[in-house]
């Protein structure tokens, strides 16, 4: 897995991306031909690019693996990351046109970007209301609130220390980390990834029946999930 945000760009300018930000995963999902051992002679079928999207765009060469880019790839990469930087810097100005309808990042594969905008402090309410109904992918982000209409969040996220969050509509989540002294209540949650409840924290999920990973409850923490198979708790 790579850092946010990662793409592969084929020689014809096509983009491969998945919310997990895995280069190999994106290539596999789209069924692209892998770069082989003679790519250095013939030229690679695709190039890999990744950037945190924070601060000023450092230029295509600084964020791309390998030096063999054609002009089409160079323009696609610059356009992609320039647009994403604008979106993250000012969601109020760009989110509606970029994330919905036929916007630049409206594709289902951009669930990671939708999540980033949803939890952005400057995300307009009208945009957040729409994003809450879409697929979302979190990459370990620490949150202090969650939109009440969110039904599913893949990936992983953590509840900030000493904060209290209730997720009334959430039915499926990725891994959840409840930091020290925090409270997370998810009455409709039935499936989750790894669960980690830190000291003095509380995680209440009365409908939870399935956890794909381990459940770790530290001393002094409270984990309430009466429908969960107790063999998954320790």
């Amino acid at each position: 897995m790579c850092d946010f945000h990662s793409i592969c760009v084929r020689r014809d300018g096509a983009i491969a991306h998945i919310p997990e930000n895995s280069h190999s995963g994106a290539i596999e999902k789209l069924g692209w031909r892998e770069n082989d051992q003679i790519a250095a002679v013939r030229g690679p079928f695709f190039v890999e690019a990744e950037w945190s999207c924070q601060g000023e765009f450092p230029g295509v060469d600084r964020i791309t693996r390998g030096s063999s880019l054609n002009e089409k790839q160079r323009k696609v990469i610059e356009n992609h990351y320039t647009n994403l930087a604008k979106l993250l810097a000012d969601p109020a100005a760009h989110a509606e046109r970029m994330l919905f309808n036929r916007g630049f990042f409206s594709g289902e594969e951009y669930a990671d970007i939708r999540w980033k905008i949803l939890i952005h402090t400057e995300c307009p309410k009208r945009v957040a209301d729409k994003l809450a109904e879409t697929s979302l992918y979190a990459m370990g982000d620490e949150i202090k609130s969650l939109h009440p209409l969110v039904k599913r969040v893949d990936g992983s996220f953590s509840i900030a220390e000493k904060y209290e969050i209730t997720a009334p509509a959430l039915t499926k989540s990725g891994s959840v980390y409840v930091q020290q002294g925090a409270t997370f209540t998810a009455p409709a949650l039935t499936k989750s990834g790894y669960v980690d409840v830190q000291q003095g924290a509380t995680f209440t999920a009365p409908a939870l029946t399935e956890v794909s990973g381990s459940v770790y409850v530290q001393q002094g923490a409270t984990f309430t999930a009466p429908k969960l198979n107790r063999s998954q708790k320790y």
Side-chain angles (χ1 to χ4, degrees):
M1 183 177 292
C2 305
D3 293 332
F4 181 86
H5 171 81
S6 167
I7 61 173
C8 298
V9 182
R10 210 165 52 189
R11 285 183 290 184
D12 62 359
I15 295 175
H17 173 76
I18 57 175
E20 294 85 348
N21 283 281
S22 165
H23 288 134
S24 59
I27 296 304
E28 181 179 359
K29 183 169 184 178
L30 272 68
W32 286 9
R33 183 176 178 180
E34 287 282 0
N35 288 326
D36 53 32
Q37 293 181 347
I38 63 170
V41 177
R42 184 211 58 247
F45 295 112
F46 60 86
V47 294
E48 303 173 1
E50 60 182 86
W51 179 41
S52 67
C53 301
Q54 297 179 356
E56 185 177 350
F57 178 58
V60 173
D61 294 325
R62 294 286 299 274
I63 66 171
T64 305
R65 295 182 184 177
S67 58
S68 182
L69 289 85
N70 63 32
E71 191 59 29
K72 181 172 290 186
Q73 287 171 312
R74 186 174 294 276
K75 288 181 178 179
V76 166
I77 293 170
E78 182 173 4
N79 188 44
H80 185 92
Y81 283 102
T82 299
N83 277 322
L84 183 52
K86 287 180 180 179
L87 172 61
L88 292 170
D90 192 354
H94 305 293
E96 290 222 68
R97 69 180 179 83
M98 287 191 181
L99 295 177
F100 305 114
N101 299 319
R102 299 181 67 180
F104 198 92
F105 300 109
S106 61
E108 188 65 19
E109 67 271 25
Y110 295 119
D112 55 328
I113 296 177
R114 289 193 291 276
W115 168 261
K116 287 289 187 184
I117 299 304
L118 177 67
I119 65 173
H120 198 292
T121 56
E122 297 180 17
C123 179
K125 183 180 183 303
R126 66 182 183 279
V127 172
D129 290 346
K130 292 181 181 179
L131 290 175
E133 301 286 348
T134 68
S135 58
L136 303 164
Y137 191 94
M139 297 188 67
D141 306 270
E142 179 183 280
I143 61 173
K144 298 179 179 178
S145 64
L146 184 65
H147 195 290
L149 296 181
V150 169
K151 297 180 178 65
R152 175 173 177 169
V153 181
D154 292 310
S156 67
F157 61 91
S158 67
I159 311 301
E161 185 174 331
K162 297 183 180 180
Y163 274 80
E164 182 175 341
I165 293 179
T166 298
L170 187 67
T171 60
K172 184 177 180 181
S173 76
S175 297
V176 181
Y177 301 82
V178 188
Q179 296 187 33
Q180 187 172 357
T183 298
F184 183 55
T185 304
L189 184 67
T190 59
K191 296 182 180 181
S192 174
Y194 178 92
V195 172
D196 188 342
V197 191
Q198 298 290 308
Q199 186 176 13
T202 300
F203 185 174
T204 304
L208 185 64
T209 59
E210 181 180 337
V211 173
S212 60
S214 300
V215 176
Y216 182 55
V217 183
Q218 291 196 15
Q219 185 176 4
T222 301
F223 177 63
T224 304
K227 294 185 178 181
L228 182 65
N229 186 331
R230 295 194 65 83
S231 65
Q232 291 189 286
K233 304 178 187 178
Y234 73 95

